[in-house]
Amino acid sequence: MTEVTLSPAAESRPTPIPTGRAAFWRSGLTAALYLAGGVPLVFGLAFLASQLPGHIDLFESPLLGFGLFIGVAAGGGWLWGRALERLAGQGPLAWPVALSFPGLSILAALALGRLEVFLLEEGGAGDTPIYIVFAALFTLSSFFVVAAAGAVIGLALRDGRLALQLALFGGLAGGAGFLFADVVQHLRGRVVGGPNAAATATMLTVMAVGHAAAAFLGGGVIGWRLARRASGALR
């Protein structure tokens, strides 16, 4: 058998950075998996723990459930940040995303909870249907989380202009992704606040699919812009 020896130049050749559609798809899919997949993973772990001998309830202690969520969100952020480092051709991005994503998610959840009380329980939304209030609130929260994450990534790369671009375009794509997924599910009969919605966990499932769509589109746009910057198309 003939042994093939690579030249030093071939061994040191950098891995090509994906551009265009490849960058969009890679970043979008990894964002949907690592970021939006965190909440289903937390509930899945909680369910598995409840089936163990002793029926451990991870949410019986708010501190335990909170810690689990923080860990999963930070881990997902780190994994997506690592994927972005490959697209951007530089870093660090893993730790900035890992440290910021849990906080952004918690801020969005707190704001959603307060607005829900004001709009629905205190009558701030008037006669507006619940599904419209839900769509508006979660579209805005998706915009906020993705935009803030984009700004963090741009600032981590010490590029203020890029931070603004990622925040604007990524945020708009994330909000549009959630709204699109919500409308499609609504048209297919998955109406938040509709008949039998509680029994079929409509709100949770619509929210999960919407967050996945927001992460996919928002994350895809962010990765695409990073790849263009790395290739010299953005200056």
Side-chain angles (χ1 to χ4, degrees), residues 71-137:
V72 170
W78 190 89
L79 289 171
W80 187 52
R82 283 287 293 166
L84 290 179
E85 287 178 357
R86 298 185 182 95
L87 290 175
Q90 65 180 113
L93 293 178
W95 283 113
V97 178
L99 295 174
S100 61
F101 181 64
L104 294 174
S105 300
I106 292 170
L107 284 176
L110 292 174
L112 284 171
R114 184 64 192 93
L115 288 171
E116 181 183 357
V117 170
F118 169 70
L119 294 174
L120 299 180
E121 297 182 16
E122 297 177 0
D127 296 328
T128 306
I130 293 177
Y131 64 85
I132 293 181
V133 175
F134 170 86
L137 289 181

Side-chain angles (χ1 to χ4, degrees), residues 23-24 27-29 31 80 84 87 146 170 173-174 214-224:
F24 175 87
S27 181
L29 290 174
W80 187 52
L84 290 179
L87 290 175
V146 178
F216 172 72
L217 284 182
V221 168
I222 288 174
W224 170 66

